[in-house]
Amino acid sequence: MIKLRAYVQLLEKIPMTDTAKYRSYSQSEEFLHNFYSLSQTARIHSETHTLVIEGIEKFFESINNCMDDESLTIKISNDQLYVDDEKLFYNKTTKNLFDNIIRYFDTRCLDGMRLLETVKHASAEEILTFMRLIDNSGQQPEPLPWLTDGLAAENIEWVELIRKSERPQESCYKDKAERRERARRDYTYAMASIEEVAQKIVEKKSEVGIRKTVRVVEDMVTNLIEDDEVYSAISTLRVFDDYTYTHSVNVAMLSMCIGRRINFSRRTLVSLGICALFHDIGKIEIPREILYKKNKLDDREQKLIEQHSLNSARLLLRLKASADSKARLLVPMFEHHLKFDLSGYPHADWKKPLTLFGKIISIADKYDTLTSSRAYRQSLLSPDRALGYMYDRAGKDFDPILLKVFINIMGIYPVGTLLRLDTGELALVVSSPSRDFAKRPLVCILEREDDGSFKKKEIINLDERDPETGNYVKGIIETYHPSTLGIQPVQHIFSS
Ligand SMILES: [Fe+2]
Ligand SMILES: [Fe+2]
């Protein structure tokens, strides 16, 4: 319980980053801080959570403090932030906050927003709905029309969106496509670099350099900070399904997405990425016939498999890296199959609570394992069922708070989930709204061709309702793992 409290405290820091830093904020900076904090808190917690309730109160408070005219505007121009006409200056204290806000609006194809005076009479529920709408718009292929429609549907009239003026919206959407392409490239480079390191280890080289891997992970972090949605999506799509190192890259990407959401620094994200990338490196010492055995493992084989986390930690010592970084990565590698309640393996008399890296990697690792079509697995879970399976084990196998963050990233129906709709159609999830907001994703309809393959048809929003009856136009009947019908989601979602 003490540990859980520690993590609640950690998550409390998500929006704050470092409370002490903000003491010297001006009122405008305080307003930006409260806006950004609330956007992050509302993403993770429900409306009844103390942090959300307090966040809304603070948001109102700063609106009242700052709005002396009829409106209050956040505007980005030439990478500078303005509140009304006041240009805010970067300093050590504000840099992180300002960068986050500029990126936040940029991902949503906005240059800012204007709150009208009537916002003062909005209900807490409305504020929260707005926060979740603007937050979710960042996950939509066309954020601005989606957000505008959402605000209209909720009758929220106290906010005006400032669309990007310097670049047309199309170029903003093109940016999204470019980010996807970058993520794809990162994926390939990461696979190549880990394969190279594994090869050198097999060749028994004593000190294996990992500078290239570090560079790849640094690039991944740069791109991930800009848009983490694309990384959670690409890792769940299993771009190269049969490839040996796909799992390692997926676990690295998903772990870094969690790290990003709990506000890890760039340096910590790089460490986490490297640790996750090498978490299973110890498997190279296990004979392939055991690693990929389809039938049940005997006791000896099971023991060999269970040694791999220990092997990973041991092999880490052969990598050329500073003693400090090795020390940081060693324990999480050892821990990645230990559960939150310290059961699992290795069966050591391990009484220490798991490290934060260890807990994050174990969540990403389990999700990827449950949804991957590995040769030795008999049954596959669709991504949403995998999350459900993990949710049932929150607090036992997984840190409940970190699992909540993870589910929030993935959405109820993660990207790549195959759905059977009540119209008889098959649909693939292409974008999933966050958990607390809505349960209905954006999907592309698939049509079966004469040769048995599937063709991508139109993209529709399952949140759409019939204006007359108020019922959803299409409902979800069943979910499947796409491979059960031989569907490769990446061909339909990430293809250019
Ligand atoms: Fe493992
Ligand atoms: Fe693993």
Side-chain angles (χ1 to χ4, degrees), residues 17-280:
T17 314
D18 180 350
T19 318
K21 275 185 190 173
Y22 295 103
R23 278 187 199 131
S24 57
Y25 274 178
S26 70
Q27 284 193 335
S28 303
E29 290 163 353
E30 190 76 41
F31 163 60
L32 291 178
H33 167 59
N34 288 339
F35 164 74
Y36 189 68
S37 296
L38 182 57
S39 74
Q40 304 299 295
T41 318
R43 183 187 278 173
I44 298 166
H45 300 296
S46 71
E47 60 275 22
T48 51
H49 198 286
T50 331
L51 284 177
V52 175
I53 296 167
E54 283 175 9
I56 294 173
E57 279 168 15
K58 282 185 183 165
F59 183 61
F60 272 126
E61 204 177 291
S62 50
I63 288 174
N64 285 324
N65 288 339
C66 292
M67 193 186 281
D68 41 34
D69 210 342
E70 288 167 353
S71 64
L72 182 59
T73 305
I74 301 177
K75 172 113 170 69
I76 297 148
S77 177
N78 294 325
D79 284 335
Q80 293 287 342
L81 256 175
Y82 294 77
V83 170
D84 287 337
D85 289 331
E86 182 195 355
K87 181 174 171 181
L88 304 180
F89 289 99
Y90 270 78
N91 58 37
K92 256 188 178 169
T93 314
T94 57
K95 188 185 177 305
N96 261 356
L97 174 69
F98 290 2
D99 282 347
N100 282 339
I101 290 188
I102 291 176
R103 215 162 32 229
Y104 191 81
F105 281 106
D106 191 60
T107 336
R108 287 152 184 82
C109 301
L110 290 171
D111 263 350
M113 63 175 189
R114 183 172 299 112
L115 296 175
L116 308 179
E117 209 181 4
T118 42
V119 69
K120 291 182 179 172
H121 310 294
S123 64
E125 199 187 356
E126 256 182 75
I127 299 286
L128 197 58
T129 305
F130 164 67
M131 284 296 174
R132 289 182 174 159
L133 275 171
I134 190 165
D135 200 53
N136 275 290
S137 69
Q139 299 174 17
Q140 308 305 320
E142 299 194 0
L144 191 58
W146 185 90
L147 180 55
T148 313
D149 289 351
L151 292 173
E154 296 292 340
N155 287 321
I156 295 175
E157 291 173 346
W158 39 258
V159 61
E160 288 174 4
L161 304 169
I162 306 174
R163 60 164 56 224
K164 277 214 167 289
S165 54
E166 290 142 24
R167 290 179 301 153
Q169 290 294 307
E170 301 74 53
S171 98
C172 189
Y173 306 146
K174 209 175 113 224
D175 282 358
K176 272 194 168 277
E178 275 172 17
R179 283 202 285 268
R180 288 200 322 195
E181 203 36 57
R182 274 206 304 256
R184 227 181 137 104
R185 225 173 28 223
D186 286 349
Y187 201 109
T188 323
Y189 288 163
M191 293 232 299
S193 80
I194 187 169
E195 186 178 11
E196 201 182 307
V197 171
Q199 189 55 41
K200 284 183 185 160
I201 289 177
V202 170
E203 288 164 8
K204 304 264 184 272
K205 297 222 165 120
S206 54
E207 274 226 299
V208 179
I210 55 164
R211 205 182 299 159
K212 209 156 127 193
T213 314
V214 174
R215 257 204 313 270
V216 170
V217 175
E218 281 170 350
D219 283 349
M220 277 158 87
V221 168
T222 303
N223 297 330
L224 177 93
I225 287 175
E226 208 176 310
D227 183 356
D228 59 358
E229 150 99 359
V230 78
Y231 282 86
S232 60
I234 197 171
S235 39
T236 206
L237 293 179
R238 313 201 57 80
V239 179
F240 305 94
D241 210 21
D242 302 323
Y243 208 85
T244 322
Y245 298 107
T246 305
H247 170 68
S248 302
V249 180
N250 286 344
V251 173
M253 286 186 162
L254 292 172
S255 298
M256 288 192 290
C257 285
I258 300 176
R260 160 89 179 112
R261 289 288 174 108
I262 58 170
N263 255 10
F264 273 4
S265 68
R266 174 180 287 268
R267 204 165 146 249
T268 311
L269 281 174
V270 172
S271 294
L272 175 64
I274 290 171
C275 190
L277 214 47
F278 290 122
H279 79 282
D280 270 343

Side-chain angles (χ1 to χ4, degrees), residues 432-449:
S432 190
S434 77
R435 182 169 180 268
D436 286 330
F437 178 67
K439 293 183 177 176
R440 304 190 136 250
L442 204 68
V443 299
C444 81
I445 303 289
L446 298 180
E447 192 176 59
R448 201 188 273 268
E449 301 273 71

Side-chain angles (χ1 to χ4, degrees), residues 247-248 251 279-280 283 308 336-337 361 365-366 369 374:
H247 170 68
S248 302
V251 173
H279 79 282
D280 270 343
K283 283 189 177 169
H308 82 270
H336 79 269
H337 285 285
I361 294 172
D365 180 71
K366 191 67 184 184
T369 307
R374 290 205 225 166

